Amino acid sequence: MPQFIFCMSESPVIVYDHQAEITSNFLIESLKTLSSSSHIQLQNGSVIKNITPYPRANLLKTKKNYLVVKNVKVNLLESERLLKINGLHHPDVGLIFIDCQLPSLFIHGSAFGGIVLYNSSINGSLTIDLSNLGDFLLDNCSTVNIKFTATILAQVRLGNVLTKNLEFTGCSVQDFTLDKTSTGYLRLSDSSLGWWSSNNAEHGYVFLSSGCQVGFLEFKNSSALALEASDITTSLTLSNAQIPFVELNNCVLSALEINTGTKSEVNLMGCRVNLLKLERVVISKETIFTAINCSFAAISIVDAFVAGQLLFKNVCIDGKRPSWNRQVLSWPNKKQKKSEIGHYDALRSAREALVSGISSLYDKRCSDQNILFGMLGCLRMIGSSMGKTEIIGSDLTHTRVEYKNTNLLDIFVAGTKFPSQVFIDGCNLDSVDYYHQRIDYFSQMRKIYEKQGDMVKALGYSSEMMDNQQKFFATQLKSFGFLKRYFSERSFLNYTLFLNNVSNRHGNSWMRALVFVLLGGGFLFIPTVWSMRYDLAFGEFFNARGYSFLADVDIIKGNLRYYSVFLNPARPFDYISKQQGFVMGNCYFFWDLFSRVIIGFGIYQFIVAFRRPGKI
């Protein structure tokens, strides 16, 4: 007997250790005897009092009395088809089978401490109906079918078990674990599970139908032919899972996490997802993730490499946490027998308590997530390679996009609206690294739209990129000395980018260029006209007489009719003096020439911005 399964206990037991056959009546009578006697052991037909306690399974959570049936074969009459335990109510009594061969086992309307089967086989099916068993543990066993109906279970653990079909209907299970177990058809209907973990397990088709609530569902180092779920509430994690087809329809997911090694086609249709988590993961070439008509509170893609495909169609990331479905449906729909009403009430209470605990954990997760991602919807892309990701027909204008050191160049975008702002993770505002990351983001977005032929949007991202390039230079120059800050090649690049932004938004706005010409010309027209009457020499600004020209508004009003001529860079030098008799001095020629340069530059920027879309 393996030491890792059994440990010493103070609980008294009955042991039947005889390499022969026992009958079902003997088994049931022994259970009844155990419930009323605490110091009896049956071994080879003799009665021994004050025995040394028999070791029991250490997986059981509470100390109970157990009937241990070891190394026997249960013999049934020819007229009987299965071993029945019916209406047995002894919650402090458990049943352990070791090295046994059993026919089909049917437990109905019973309540006892639990069932443990070790190194045993059930030739037919194992069916548990309308019962409260506490713990159900199978280790190194085989059976054809396992079916639970309207049953309350604290934990179900299967290790090294071979069964064709496993089914839960209308059950409450706090902990469900499959370890190194092979199942065929696995179905969960209208049941509540706190934790479901498949570890190193093999499954056929796995179905979860409407009305189910599973606090945490994990497939780790496991395989299945398919996983299908509809109208359920759960949290799903796939870790090195080999499931060719996963389909979730109209489900509420507190979290969906895909980890390295998973090979699967995951399809979400009409689901509401609190958090899609792809962190420290390699999405293999065999993996395709599709979300259609889904809403997400947050998507976190951190240190991920996408070699497969991610497809988002008609999705939104709005920050709205989907509420956990706390409703427990009445089951069954058929009329209940009077003797069964109490059990169904207890079953409903157990499911409601379990769902309440699950939803409380979910609420805490949402609270922590609000701190981590903020209240708005968040798309986080950090240190990742997005690979062949497609975002189609989605509105992300109200989404907070967080970015840092991520490859976006292979993304395909169609009919999708992105927010105008991007938030850089882990960088101080107005720092060199902050603007460097923003340049990187807008540059990649520009190339994405250029590659797809949408040059209008590409121009917008190009303008944002150049604007941040100018701020990048300006921030760098703050750490330089005086000469390098104002007279180096980088400072001249900064001046050039600043003028391009002010004059036409880096070739993207002819309206800004027009305003630049009109307003810039207007501001230069005033000193140019003043310089015709007054000598605006440097010394004139430091005496009372020199300020008199600031009050001379009449000269401006009287020459406004020449403003349109002034906006022509090729105008004559004496276009006003011929009419007014002014004398043109050095100050006049300075302002005249300076205004010609500025206005000519503005007209050129206007032409560039106006014609640029036509060159696309």
Side-chain angles (χ1 to χ4, degrees):
M1 189 178 301
Q3 295 298 319
F4 67 89
I5 290 186
F6 296 98
C7 66
M8 296 304 296
S9 171
E10 297 178 357
S11 299
V13 297
I14 293 178
V15 177
Y16 186 85
D17 189 358
H18 186 60
Q19 296 183 10
E21 298 179 351
I22 65 173
T23 65
S24 59
N25 289 332
F26 177 85
L27 180 63
I28 294 173
E29 290 301 320
S30 297
L31 286 168
K32 293 180 178 179
T33 301
L34 180 60
S35 65
S36 59
S37 175
S38 59
H39 296 286
I40 295 180
Q41 177 179 5
L42 300 180
Q43 185 170 352
N44 297 329
S46 60
V47 177
I48 303 175
K49 295 184 178 181
N50 299 321
I51 62 167
T52 303
Y54 192 85
R56 68 181 180 88
N58 66 356
L59 296 177
L60 300 174
K61 297 179 179 179
T62 57
K63 294 183 178 181
K64 303 182 180 73
N65 299 329
Y66 288 94
L67 168 64
V68 180
V69 181
K70 178 182 177 184
N71 197 24
V72 300
K73 176 180 180 181
V74 176
N75 183 36
L76 299 175
L77 299 176
E78 294 295 331
S79 59
E80 294 179 305
R81 294 183 179 180
L82 70 164
L83 173 61
K84 294 183 179 180
I85 299 178
N86 189 11
L88 183 66
H89 292 274
H90 297 295
D92 294 329
V93 176
L95 181 60
I96 301 178
F97 293 95
I98 303 173
D99 299 320
C100 294
Q101 295 183 30
L102 306 175
S104 295
L105 176 60
F106 179 70
I107 300 174
H108 173 76
S110 299
F112 52 95
I115 294 181
V116 178
L117 286 88
Y118 173 72
N119 201 28
S120 300
S121 63
I122 300 177
N123 298 327
S125 299
L126 195 162
T127 304
I128 300 176
D129 178 51
L130 292 170
S131 298
N132 188 340
L133 297 186
D135 301 312
F136 181 84
L137 314 176
L138 271 67
D139 194 347
N140 197 28
C141 297
S142 64
T143 182
V144 177
N145 300 304
I146 302 176
K147 183 176 182 179
F148 298 90
T149 305
T151 295
I152 304 172
L153 296 149
Q155 61 174 331
V156 176
R157 298 194 181 185
L158 278 62
N160 296 295
V161 173
L162 176 63
T163 182
K164 288 185 178 180
N165 298 308
L166 176 59
E167 185 173 355
F168 293 86
T169 304
C171 295
S172 173
V173 184
Q174 295 182 20
D175 187 355
F176 177 41
T177 303
L178 299 168
D179 187 21
K180 298 179 182 177
T181 291
S182 177
T183 68
Y185 180 95
L186 198 163
R187 186 179 188 90
L188 189 69
S189 302
D190 190 24
S191 297
S192 303
L193 274 69
W195 183 288
W196 174 354
S197 177
S198 290
N199 188 17
N200 295 301
E202 297 180 0
H203 305 292
Y205 292 94
V206 181
F207 296 95
L208 289 83
S209 61
S210 61
C212 292
Q213 296 129 332
V214 182
F216 184 83
L217 173 57
E218 178 184 33
F219 289 87
K220 184 177 181 180
N221 303 321
S222 298
S223 64
L225 295 178
L227 168 63
E228 296 184 27
S230 60
D231 299 298
I232 71 165
T233 306
T234 188
S235 171
L236 176 61
T237 299
L238 302 176
S239 301
N240 194 28
Q242 317 298 313
I243 308 177
F245 185 74
V246 177
E247 182 169 330
L248 306 176
N249 292 308
N250 301 315
C251 296
V252 174
L253 302 175
S254 65
L256 174 58
E257 182 174 354
I258 301 176
N259 293 321
T260 299
T262 296
K263 298 179 180 179
S264 180
E265 180 180 337
V266 182
N267 297 311
L268 274 63
M269 296 285 293
C271 295
R272 292 176 293 149
V273 184
N274 181 46
L275 173 62
L276 172 60
K277 187 176 181 181
L278 305 175
E279 297 185 0
R280 292 171 291 280
V281 59
V282 176
I283 304 297
S284 64
K285 292 183 179 179
E286 294 84 359
T287 298
I288 301 174
F289 175 86
T290 303
I292 301 176
N293 299 324
C294 296
S295 65
F296 298 86
I299 297 178
S300 180
I301 305 174
V302 178
D303 296 330
F305 178 79
V306 180
Q309 289 182 297
L310 303 179
L311 172 62
F312 300 92
K313 184 177 181 181
N314 297 329
V315 304
C316 66
I317 308 174
D318 52 15
K320 296 179 180 178
R321 280 39 172 171
S323 58
W324 190 274
N325 180 16
R326 298 170 182 255
Q327 183 180 7
V328 177
L329 301 177
S330 298
W331 193 92
N333 295 324
K334 64 182 181 180
K335 187 176 181 180
Q336 301 170 6
K337 296 180 181 179
K338 187 174 182 180
S339 59
E340 298 173 350
I341 293 177
H343 174 76
Y344 280 117
D345 290 342
L347 173 62
R348 184 178 182 85
S349 297
R351 289 188 62 184
E352 288 177 345
L354 180 59
V355 171
S356 178
I358 295 171
S359 60
S360 296
L361 291 176
Y362 170 70
D363 291 340
K364 185 180 183 304
R365 167 180 282 184
C366 288
S367 178
D368 295 340
Q369 186 172 314
N370 288 339
I371 297 173
L372 185 62
F373 294 99
M375 296 299 293
L376 297 176
C378 179
L379 172 59
R380 176 172 292 178
M381 300 176 290
I382 299 174
S384 300
S385 176
M386 297 299 292
K388 295 181 179 179
T389 298
E390 299 183 13
I391 307 175
I392 299 172
S394 302
D395 187 359
L396 307 180
T397 52
H398 300 292
T399 300
R400 175 186 173 94
V401 175
E402 296 183 5
Y403 169 89
K404 188 175 183 181
N405 296 331
T406 295
N407 181 6
L408 309 174
L409 291 177
D410 292 326
I411 289 180
F412 176 81
V413 177
T416 296
K417 298 178 181 179
F418 282 93
S420 58
Q421 292 296 321
V422 60
F423 296 86
I424 306 303
D425 181 74
C427 295
N428 294 326
L429 292 176
D430 297 327
S431 65
V432 171
D433 191 34
Y434 173 80
Y435 289 115
H436 177 76
Q437 292 293 333
R438 289 175 66 86
I439 292 168
D440 188 41
Y441 172 79
F442 289 120
S443 174
Q444 292 189 78
M445 293 299 291
R446 174 180 64 86
K447 292 178 181 178
I448 289 171
Y449 282 105
E450 281 181 349
K451 184 169 60 176
Q452 296 169 196
D454 192 344
M455 300 305 295
V456 174
K457 288 185 178 179
L459 286 175
Y461 284 109
S462 176
S463 175
E464 291 287 348
M465 178 189 70
M466 299 306 294
D467 184 37
N468 282 274
Q469 185 73 66
Q470 184 266 319
K471 294 177 181 177
F472 172 79
F473 286 144
T475 304
Q476 270 192 332
L477 290 169
K478 291 178 181 179
S479 61
F480 293 176
F482 178 80
L483 291 177
K484 285 189 176 181
R485 183 183 300 181
Y486 297 105
F487 300 102
S488 64
E489 182 178 354
R490 182 151 296 190
S491 66
F492 292 140
L493 282 174
N494 180 41
Y495 301 149
T496 302
L497 291 172
F498 174 77
L499 284 174
N500 277 322
N501 183 37
V502 170
S503 60
N504 66 359
R505 202 168 176 264
H506 304 288
N508 197 44
S509 174
W510 61 266
M511 285 295 295
R512 182 176 291 191
L514 181 60
V515 172
F516 178 84
V517 170
L518 296 176
L519 290 183
F523 282 115
L524 292 172
F525 179 72
I526 295 173
T528 302
V529 173
W530 273 338
S531 65
M532 293 180 182
R533 177 176 293 179
Y534 301 96
D535 184 9
L536 303 181
F538 182 77
E540 296 294 331
F541 286 91
F542 298 95
N543 57 67
R545 188 176 61 85
Y547 283 103
S548 61
F549 71 89
L550 295 176
D552 191 352
V553 181
D554 294 335
I555 190 174
I556 305 298
K557 293 181 179 179
N559 291 284
L560 279 178
R561 61 183 181 275
Y562 298 111
Y563 177 63
S564 59
V565 180
F566 180 79
L567 294 178
N568 179 10
R571 63 185 179 269
F573 280 102
D574 57 354
Y575 68 101
I576 296 180
S577 61
K578 279 186 177 182
Q579 305 296 328
Q580 303 292 340
F582 293 131
V583 178
M584 295 180 293
N586 292 331
C587 187
Y588 169 80
F589 283 111
F590 168 78
W591 286 109
D592 185 75
L593 291 173
F594 183 65
S595 64
R596 291 172 190 266
V597 172
I598 297 300
I599 294 172
F601 173 76
I603 293 174
Y604 170 77
Q605 293 292 80
F606 173 81
I607 295 171
V608 169
F610 196 84
R611 295 189 65 236
R612 189 169 184 181
K615 294 182 178 180
I616 299 174

